[in-house]
C-alpha cells in the first residue's frame, strides 16, 4: 500500500484505532499505536521498528520501548479485536481455521528460536514458529489470535527464558494444545464458529480432535488415509487423479457433502491471511529479543490486518455485489476441482 493510499485512509485508520484508547493508560504511549499501525501499512521493504520510526520521524528507541517496556494492556487489545469480530462480522456459516506459520531468524536471542522445520523455507532452519486462529465469514477473513510455540530446549532452560522475558508459567506445549487455548480464548470472548478446519498435522492428533468434540465444535480437518474415526471424506483432484486428500469430521451424518467440501477446502483463507500479514503488514519483520515485544507485535499485526480486511471488504462491496464465497483467484465457490 503506497503513501498516497495511506494518507487517504489516515482518518479512517485513526478512527479505527481510537476504539483501543482505553487499553493505554498514558496518552503519549497511546500515540505510538498510531505510529506503529500506520507504519505497518506503509509500502517499505522492511517494516521493522527502525524503518517505521524513520518514516514517522520519531526516535527508534522510543518505538522499541513502546513494544517491550511501556505499560499498556495488550491482552485488552486482543479482547477488543475479538469483540469487534464477534459484534460486526458474525455469520451463521463462519469458519475458524487453525494453522501455524514460521519466520527464519538469525542468532539465538529471539524468543523460541532454534533449528527446526520452518514452513516458510520448507526445511530445517533457524527460526521461530507461531500458532494462529483465523476467522472467515462470507467474503471476510482475518487473524484472531496467535501465540509463540516454545520448544522443549527453551522450556528446559529457564535462565534463558527469563533473559528473554518469557514467564515461568510459559512452558513447552504441543502446538495442538496451543491451538485449543486460542480457540477457548475466542469462544470465551463470544466468537462463534459454525465450523473449524485445520491441516493434516492437527487432524492426526486424537487428543486435539477429541478436545474439539468435547467442546461441541463441528470440524472438517485434513488427516491421513489410515484414520478411522468419525466420518472419513476422501477427495480426488479431477485434474490430477493421483492427488488424493483425506478429511475427518464430527458433523452429523445428514450434513450435505457440499458443506463438508466447502469447509474442508477453506484453509486457503488462513494462508491468505498469513500472506497478507507478512507482505502487507510485516508480521515476520519483528526483530525484538523480548517475549512481550513479540506478543505485542503478533497482536498489533492482527489489528492492522483487521483494518485492511475491513477496508478491502468495503471497497469490494462498492465495486460489485457479493453473491458467493470468494476464492483466492476470483469469485469461486472453491479453489479446487474435486470429487468426493
Amino acid at each position: 500500500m503506497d503513501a498516497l493510499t495511506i494518507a487517504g485512509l489516515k482518518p479512517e485508520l485513526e478512527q479505527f484505532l481510537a476504539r483501543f484508547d482505553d487499553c493505554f493508560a498514558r496518552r503519549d504511549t497511546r500515540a505510538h499505536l498510531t505510529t506503529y499501525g500506520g507504519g505497518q501499512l506503509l509500502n517499505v521493504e522492511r517494516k521493522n521498528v527502525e524503518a517505521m520510526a524513520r518514516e514517522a520521524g520519531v526516535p527508534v528507541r522510543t518505538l522499541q520501548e513502546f513494544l517491550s517496556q511501556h505499560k499498556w494492556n495488550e491482552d485488552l487489545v486482543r479482547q477488543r479485536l475479538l469483540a469487534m469480530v464477534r459484534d460486526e462480522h458474525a455469520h451463521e456459516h463462519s469458519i475458524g481455521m487453525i494453522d501455524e506459520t514460521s519466520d527464519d531468524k538469525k542468532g539465538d536471542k529471539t524468543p523460541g528460536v532454534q533449528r527446526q522445520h520452518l514452513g516458510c523455507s520448507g526445511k530445517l532452519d533457524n527460526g521461530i514458529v507461531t500458532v494462529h486462529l483465523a476467522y472467515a465469514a462470507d467474503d471476510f477473513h482475518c487473524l484472531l489470535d496467535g501465540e509463540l510455540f516454545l520448544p522443549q530446549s527453551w522450556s528446559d532452560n529457564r535462565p534463558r527464558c527469563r533473559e528473554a522475558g518469557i514467564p515461568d508459567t510459559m512452558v513447552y506445549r504441543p502446538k495442538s494444545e496451543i491451538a485449543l487455548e486460542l480457540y477457548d480464548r475466542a469462544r470465551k470472548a463470544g466468537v462463534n464458529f459454525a465450523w473449524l478446519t485445520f491441516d493434516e498435522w492437527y487432524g492426526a492428533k486424537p487428543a486435539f480432535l477429541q478436545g474439539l468434540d468435547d467442546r461441541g465444535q463441528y470440524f472438517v480437518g485434513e488427516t491421513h488415509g489410515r484414520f478411522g474415526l468419525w466420518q472419513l471424506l476422501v477427495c480426488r483432484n479431477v485434474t490430477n487423479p493421483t492427488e488424493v486428500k483425506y478429511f475427518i469430521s464430527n458433523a452429523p451424518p445428514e450434513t450435505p457433502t457440499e458443506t463438508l467440501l466447502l469447509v474442508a477446502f477453506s484453509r486457503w483463507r488462513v494462508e491468505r491471511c498469513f500472506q497478507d500479514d507478512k507482505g502487507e503488514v510485516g508480521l515476520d519483520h519483528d526483530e525484538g529479543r523480548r517475549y512481550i515485544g513479540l506478543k505485542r507485535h503478533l497482536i498489533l499485526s492482527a489489528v492492522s490486518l483487521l483494518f485492511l480486511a475491513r477496508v478491502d471488504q468495503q471497497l469490494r462491496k462498492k465495486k460489485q455485489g457479493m453473491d458467493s464465497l470468494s476464492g483466492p483467484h476470483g469469485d469461486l465457490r472453491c479453489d479446487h476441482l474435486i470429487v468426493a
Side-chain angles (χ1 to χ4, degrees):
M1 189 173 291
D2 57 35
L4 184 60
T5 304
I6 286 296
L9 291 175
K10 187 175 181 180
E12 190 171 353
L13 176 62
E14 291 180 346
Q15 184 179 21
F16 173 79
L17 294 178
R19 302 177 67 173
F20 299 90
D21 281 355
D22 59 334
C23 304
F24 301 85
R26 293 173 56 94
R27 184 177 300 178
D28 54 348
T29 301
R30 162 60 183 85
H32 297 316
L33 175 63
T34 302
T35 301
Y36 204 87
Q40 287 196 306
L41 304 182
L42 289 174
N43 185 24
V44 293
E45 184 177 355
R46 291 290 298 175
K47 299 180 183 182
N48 52 24
V49 167
E50 182 177 354
M52 289 190 287
R54 183 175 61 249
E55 291 289 334
V58 300
V60 174
R61 185 174 182 82
T62 300
L63 208 55
Q64 290 172 333
E65 292 173 346
F66 166 70
L67 270 188
S68 61
Q69 296 182 31
H70 288 181
K71 290 185 178 181
W72 52 276
N73 195 334
E74 65 278 354
D75 292 323
L76 185 57
V77 173
R78 178 173 54 204
Q79 293 170 20
R80 184 63 42 77
L81 182 151
L82 291 170
M84 291 169 68
V85 174
R86 175 198 67 202
D87 296 340
E88 300 165 29
H89 299 282
H91 197 283
E92 60 179 339
H93 301 303
S94 60
I95 301 175
M97 295 149 288
I98 295 290
D99 207 348
E100 61 197 58
T101 189
S102 57
D103 306 320
D104 60 303
K105 300 291 183 182
K106 299 184 183 301
D108 60 358
K109 299 299 183 182
T110 303
V113 68
Q114 73 168 17
R115 187 171 175 80
Q116 56 189 318
H117 182 270
L118 304 182
C120 61
S121 62
K123 61 181 181 180
L124 285 174
D125 210 340
N126 201 55
I128 66 170
V129 175
T130 51
V131 181
H132 295 261
L133 173 63
Y135 177 90
D138 197 24
D139 65 322
F140 170 87
H141 49 241
C142 69
L143 292 178
L144 293 177
D145 204 350
E147 183 58 271
L148 173 70
F149 166 69
L150 190 70
Q152 188 76 61
S153 63
W154 273 78
S155 183
D156 292 342
N157 190 340
R158 299 321 300 183
R160 187 186 188 191
C161 286
R162 295 187 190 103
E163 184 180 359
I166 297 174
D168 288 340
T169 54
M170 185 174 180
V171 297
Y172 164 80
R173 292 177 299 162
K175 298 166 191 173
S176 55
E177 288 188 15
I178 298 174
L180 287 174
E181 179 186 351
L182 301 182
Y183 172 83
D184 288 341
R185 273 205 297 245
R187 291 293 295 117
K188 184 177 180 180
V191 179
N192 292 315
F193 306 98
W195 297 94
L196 206 70
T197 190
F198 35 83
D199 68 14
E200 182 181 15
W201 190 90
Y202 294 90
K205 300 295 182 291
F208 173 72
L209 300 176
Q210 191 62 57
L212 292 177
D213 197 58
D214 291 344
R215 290 162 170 80
Q217 177 63 59
Y218 290 148
F219 59 80
V220 184
E222 190 171 355
T223 188
H224 53 68
R226 301 179 302 278
F227 214 97
L229 299 177
W230 292 296
Q231 300 188 59
L232 198 51
L233 187 69
V234 184
C235 302
R236 187 184 304 276
N237 187 334
V238 297
T239 63
N240 180 11
T242 62
E243 182 183 354
V244 179
K245 288 184 178 293
Y246 299 88
F247 297 90
I248 192 167
S249 177
N250 64 343
E254 64 273 15
T255 305
T257 301
E258 292 80 2
T259 299
L260 298 176
L261 290 174
L262 180 60
V263 176
F265 287 92
S266 291
R267 255 193 347 103
W268 68 265
R269 306 187 78 173
V270 66
E271 297 295 341
R272 181 57 187 266
C273 285
F274 289 148
Q275 179 183 349
D276 291 342
D277 212 351
K278 291 184 177 183
E280 301 293 339
V281 176
L283 175 65
D284 55 345
H285 295 176
D286 176 63
E287 298 176 351
R289 297 184 174 185
R290 303 283 294 175
Y291 170 71
I292 185 64
L294 174 61
K295 176 183 177 181
R296 287 173 168 178
H297 175 71
L298 292 177
I299 294 172
L300 294 181
S301 296
V303 169
S304 296
L305 185 65
L306 175 60
F307 174 74
L308 282 183
R310 290 159 67 98
V311 169
D312 179 65
Q313 185 184 47
Q314 293 167 8
L315 292 176
R316 283 186 287 110
K317 283 186 175 180
K318 288 181 181 178
K319 292 181 179 179
Q320 62 179 14
M322 303 300 295
D323 58 1
S324 65
L325 184 64
S326 177
H329 304 301
D331 196 19
L332 306 174
R333 292 295 300 181
C334 190
D335 192 40
H336 298 265
L337 295 174
I338 49 180
V339 293

